[in-house]
Amino acid sequence: MERELVSIEELLSILNKELDKFPDYGECRYESVTKLDKSDETGCNWGEVILKCSGTHPGTCQPAAFKMVEEMKKKYNLR
């Protein structure tokens, strides 16, 4: 499957919209994503994401949030 090319801003918006589907994570937001110099072994060209939570302990949402990131890495690449 070919990945859709998006800007960093678009990717953050997509990630945060997915996060919004979990009402318990309403205080958590993805704030940044790192573009890789070259694609990883799966063909994805972005890596580390920064997740910030206020009013909620990050450990509450991190497992589901980062599982979702792994799924999004299969669908999107950065321009």
Side-chain angles (χ1 to χ4, degrees), residues 6-65:
V6 295
S7 68
I8 289 175
E9 293 79 15
E10 289 170 319
L11 180 60
L12 288 170
S13 177
I14 291 165
L15 291 170
N16 283 316
K17 283 180 185 175
E18 286 296 312
L19 201 57
D20 287 342
K21 293 179 181 178
F22 300 91
D24 294 342
Y25 307 160
E27 299 293 323
C28 298
R29 305 305 308 146
Y30 290 103
E31 293 193 344
S32 67
V33 61
T34 302
K35 185 173 183 180
L36 303 175
D37 291 333
K38 62 181 188 174
S39 298
D40 67 14
E41 64 278 353
T42 69
C44 183
N45 71 349
W46 55 281
E48 182 179 343
V49 294
I50 303 297
L51 177 69
K52 297 278 183 158
C53 297
S54 63
T56 303
H57 188 277
T60 304
C61 65
Q62 277 182 339

Side-chain angles (χ1 to χ4, degrees), residues 15 30 46-47 49 64-73:
L15 291 170
Y30 290 103
W46 55 281
V49 294
F66 286 106
K67 182 178 180 183
M68 188 260 304
V69 165
E70 291 307 310
E71 290 302 313
M72 294 297 114
K73 284 182 172 187

